[in-house]
């Protein structure tokens, strides 16, 4: 078997990432050797592979669904936004430059098509099946000429396309029909059908619409997936949606101790790897929410300053909103603060940045005795070590190089009182360390909170992936999906006018 499939979507956030992961987990449970692939990803949530390559976290999650080690082949192009108009281009896991959207779509993107196809071919030569994820919508006709992630990759690799639509948003039938009708005849030949995502209610009420959709397009619906809470794991983009006030979904188990623990995460601009706090939200009795006002820190037992692709910009934002002063007061009062990566740099005394913001010398919050200098070469590592008497693993993604001038060592960073700083993403996924850290936070906050002794973040992640596999197995036509992956799009699919120029 040398099968493949492209999971496209009617919109961003239609559920492409989780559907791809679900199909991968379903296939691997059938004994199929499968790998994920996303030609081009735009995300500030990234991961470091064992060979030191940076890829999107969604692809790392999908690799886990496949029970394989993630590699740069699975996400050859990663775009990391640095603002509204430009992104850092990461090629095969390494940064190669900063480009404006016009510069990227004006020619650079199409030049990467050969690299993307080579990566996909290598994966298809190694695995029985490769499940590819598209980006945005394949019907973005203004970008079709240079597309390398939706129909561009499908056409070149002759991949059948399954279009996912989020019915919870409404307008799913119009979105399905319009997506096909805006594609050229050559592209339409590969669009095999549809998958409805996030459906609530009685499926029998939906069936007349699905029959009419088939009559209008000649394309079947391969399944209707019900709405399930808690499946939005490893989201790709912190820019599209305002996270203010959003509470990370946490376990329904009651707290082990008498108190809950409240965690406030500063929703700084260009926030990256905010998935770091998912391990906190997995703890019974820990409530995590994103905030952007100083008064929202008042009742927090722990404040987290997460990573960012714009450290100096985030620092300015904290000052403009009064959060900087609140954080400095909080640290002086001995109330817990954790800075991760860019958040760690913000807590330091001084930042020298001629690389990211080109702002030169900037004063930090001065809470930690740290000097930060931005280097042109990015640090991409998978460190491990000890902290609070427990083994810890993490990953580092940063240009800032920290020089410690005091404090108590903490991972690669330092600690002063109840203010902690580190470049290590993912450290809170180490169960023993997370529990030890939360015990310190609870003691400093005066809370009778007790970490659950048996919470395993890795096991919870596996349960989520199995739930995704169950959704596909129970609510999709898996026999038809198998034929699609193995044999390609059905022959003789009708053209839906008006189409787009070839």
């Amino acid at each position: 078997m040398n099968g493949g499939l492209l999971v496209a979507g009617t919109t961003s956030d239609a559920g492409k990432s989780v559907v791809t992961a679900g199909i991968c987990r379903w296939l691997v449970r059938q004994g199929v050797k499968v790998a994920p692939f996303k030609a081009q990803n735009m995300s500030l949530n990234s991961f470091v592979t064992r060979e030191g390559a940076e890829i999107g976290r969604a692809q790392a999650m999908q690799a886990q669904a496949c029970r394989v080690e993630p590699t740069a082949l699975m996400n050859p192009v990663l775009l990391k936004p640095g603002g509204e108009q430009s992104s850092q281009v990461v090629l095969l896991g390494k940064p190669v430059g900063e480009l404006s959207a016009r510069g990227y779509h004006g020619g650079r993107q199409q030049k990467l098509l050969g690299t993307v196809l080579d990566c996909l071919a290598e994966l298809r030569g190694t695995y029985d099946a490769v499940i590819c994820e598209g980006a945005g919508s394949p019907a973005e006709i203004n970008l079709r000429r240079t597309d390398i992630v939706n129909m561009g990759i499908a056409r070149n690799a002759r991949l059948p396309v399954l279009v996912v639509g989020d019915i919870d948003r409404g307008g799913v039938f119009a979105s399905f029909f319009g997506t096909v009708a805006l594609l050229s005849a050559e592209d339409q030949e590969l669009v095999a059908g549809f998958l409805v995502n996030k459906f609530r209610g009685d499926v029998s009420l939906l069936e007349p619409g699905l029959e009419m959709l088939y009559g209008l397009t000649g394309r079947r619906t391969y399944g209707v997936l019900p709405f399930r809470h808690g499946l939005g794991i490893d989201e790709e983009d912190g820019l599209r949606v305002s996270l203010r006030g959003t509470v990370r979904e946490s376990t329904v188990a009651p707290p082990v101790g008498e108190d809950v623990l409240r965690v406030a995460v500063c929703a700084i601009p260009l926030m990256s790897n905010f998935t770091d706090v998912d391990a906190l939200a997995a703890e019974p009795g820990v409530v995590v929410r994103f905030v952007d006002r100083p008064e929202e820190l008042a009742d927090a037992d722990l404040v987290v300053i997460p990573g960012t692709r714009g450290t100096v910009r985030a620092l300015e934002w904290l000052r403009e909103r009064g959060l900087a002063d609140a954080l400095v007061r909080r640290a002086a009062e001995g109330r817990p603060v954790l800075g991760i990566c860019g958040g760690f740099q913000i807590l330091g005394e001084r930042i020298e940045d001629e690389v990211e913001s080109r702002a030169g010398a900037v004063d930090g919050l001065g809470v930690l005795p740290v000097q930060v200098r931005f280097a042109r070469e990015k640090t991409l590592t998978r460190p491990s070590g000890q902290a609070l008497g427990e083994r810890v693993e993490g990953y580092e993604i940063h240009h800032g190089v920290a020089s410690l001038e005091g404090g108590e060592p903490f991972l690669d960073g330092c600690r002063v009182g109840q203010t902690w700083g580190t470049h290590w993403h993912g450290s809170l996924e180490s169960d023993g360390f997370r529990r030890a850290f939360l015990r310190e936070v609870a003691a400093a906050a005066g809370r009778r909170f007790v970490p659950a002794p048996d919470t395993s973040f890795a096991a919870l992640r596996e349960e989520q992936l199995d739930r995704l596999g169950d959704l596909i197995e129970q609510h999709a036509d898996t026999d038809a999906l198998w034929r699609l992956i193995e044999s390609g799009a059905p022959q003789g699919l009708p053209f839906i006018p008006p189409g787009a120029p070839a």
Side-chain angles (χ1 to χ4, degrees):
M1 180 180 179
N2 184 15
L5 175 70
L6 176 69
V7 179
T10 56
T11 62
S12 295
D13 205 34
K16 296 183 293 292
S17 294
V18 293
V19 167
T20 300
I23 293 174
C24 287
R25 178 50 61 101
W26 162 65
L27 283 172
V28 82
R29 294 196 304 208
Q30 310 309 307
V32 178
K33 188 180 179 185
V34 60
F37 180 77
K38 184 159 185 172
Q40 172 195 294
N41 198 347
M42 177 173 279
S43 179
L44 287 170
N45 285 336
S46 58
F47 182 76
V48 179
T49 67
R50 295 214 175 272
E51 70 267 29
E54 185 179 9
I55 66 172
R57 271 200 70 99
Q59 280 61 65
M61 177 266 291
Q62 290 160 0
Q64 186 176 346
C66 296
R67 298 181 179 141
V68 299
E69 191 67 33
T71 72
L73 293 174
M74 298 171 183
N75 179 206
V77 181
L78 173 64
L79 305 178
K80 302 195 71 176
E84 296 297 326
Q85 299 294 329
S86 67
S87 293
Q88 183 181 67
V89 181
V90 179
L91 179 62
L92 293 174
K94 304 296 180 183
V96 294
E98 198 92 12
L99 279 179
S100 67
R102 180 179 293 274
Y104 183 68
H105 290 287
R108 179 63 183 269
Q109 184 181 31
Q110 188 66 17
K111 292 177 182 177
L112 297 174
L113 180 60
T115 300
V116 163
L117 291 172
D118 288 345
C119 291
L120 178 57
E122 187 171 342
L123 288 174
R124 296 186 80 177
T126 305
Y127 293 88
D128 299 329
V130 178
I131 308 303
C132 307
E133 180 189 342
S137 162
E140 291 166 350
I141 54 179
N142 57 315
L143 304 177
R144 176 62 185 92
R145 182 178 61 83
T146 56
D147 170 48
I148 64 170
V149 64
N150 289 308
M151 300 313 299
I153 194 80
R155 280 269 292 279
N156 278 278
R158 302 309 299 171
L159 293 170
V161 178
L162 183 69
V163 180
V164 178
D166 178 358
I167 197 169
D168 197 48
R169 293 182 172 194
V172 74
F173 292 115
S175 297
F176 281 146
F177 182 87
T179 295
V180 179
L182 281 174
L183 300 179
S184 68
E186 293 83 355
D187 285 350
Q188 287 191 26
E189 289 175 0
L190 295 172
V191 178
F194 314 108
L195 186 75
V196 177
N197 191 28
K198 300 183 185 177
F199 179 72
R200 306 172 192 251
D202 185 346
V203 176
S204 66
L205 298 177
L206 190 65
E207 288 171 352
L210 300 179
E211 291 172 5
M212 285 186 276
L213 183 66
Y214 178 78
L216 288 165
T217 67
R219 289 158 175 85
R220 60 171 300 172
T221 298
Y222 284 76
V224 178
L225 307 185
F227 187 96
R228 292 287 186 268
H229 286 284
L231 294 181
I233 51 180
D234 287 1
E235 293 99 329
E236 290 193 343
D237 200 342
L239 286 178
R240 281 186 291 102
V241 181
S242 170
L243 290 172
R244 187 196 172 284
T246 298
V247 178
R248 300 299 276 181
E249 292 195 28
S250 55
T251 179
V252 296
V256 175
E258 297 179 48
D259 290 342
V260 299
L261 208 62
R262 296 172 176 83
V263 179
V265 184
C266 296
I268 55 180
L270 298 175
M271 182 165 47
S272 62
N273 285 65
F274 56 83
T275 48
D276 280 333
V277 301
D278 286 350
L280 294 177
E283 284 285 346
V286 176
V287 179
V288 179
R289 67 187 183 122
F290 291 83
V291 303
D292 65 358
R293 297 187 302 213
E295 56 267 28
E296 293 175 301
L297 306 187
D299 66 345
D301 303 307
L302 169 66
V303 174
V304 177
I305 312 174
T308 173
R309 247 284 275 156
T311 299
V312 171
R313 178 178 170 186
L315 181 57
E316 292 171 348
W317 181 88
L318 290 168
R319 286 181 167 133
E320 289 167 359
R321 302 186 77 87
L323 282 158
D325 290 340
L327 287 165
V328 171
R329 286 195 302 271
R330 183 182 181 90
E333 293 166 359
R335 302 180 65 199
V337 177
L338 171 65
I340 302 174
C341 199
F344 167 39
Q345 297 164 8
I346 284 169
L347 291 171
E349 294 175 346
R350 194 170 180 81
I351 299 168
E352 293 275 352
D353 182 11
E354 299 293 349
V355 176
E356 192 176 75
S357 67
R358 297 184 175 87
V362 177
D363 289 335
L365 297 187
V367 175
L368 293 177
V370 176
Q371 305 285 331
V372 177
R373 178 185 57 81
F374 273 68
R376 297 202 174 276
E377 185 174 347
K378 182 183 283 190
T379 297
L380 296 168
T381 62
R382 290 275 291 270
S384 61
Q386 296 275 330
L388 303 180
E390 300 287 347
R391 181 166 176 77
V392 191
E393 295 182 350
Y395 56 99
E396 295 186 49
I397 306 169
H398 55 91
H399 284 280
V401 178
S403 298
L404 308 182
E405 299 182 349
E408 179 183 341
F410 173 65
L411 303 178
D412 72 329
C414 67
R415 167 189 184 180
V416 173
Q418 292 301 320
T419 301
W420 318 63
T422 178
H423 275 130
W424 290 23
H425 295 290
S427 62
L428 294 166
E429 295 178 19
S430 298
D431 298 326
F433 167 72
R434 181 180 65 254
R435 286 191 277 269
F437 176 70
L438 289 176
R439 281 193 291 269
E440 290 238 7
V441 168
R447 297 288 184 188
R448 291 170 295 181
F449 168 85
V450 178
D454 55 357
T455 300
S456 167
F457 185 75
L460 290 171
R461 172 56 53 85
E462 277 296 303
E463 288 175 14
Q464 284 183 309
L465 293 172
D466 277 332
R467 289 173 65 197
L468 291 177
D470 292 343
L471 278 179
I472 298 299
E473 191 167 334
Q474 296 167 11
H475 300 281
D477 186 339
T478 52
D479 288 340
L481 266 182
W482 183 273
R483 289 192 298 272
L484 197 61
I485 293 167
E486 191 173 35
S487 305
Q491 297 296 308
L493 293 169
F495 171 71
I496 308 302

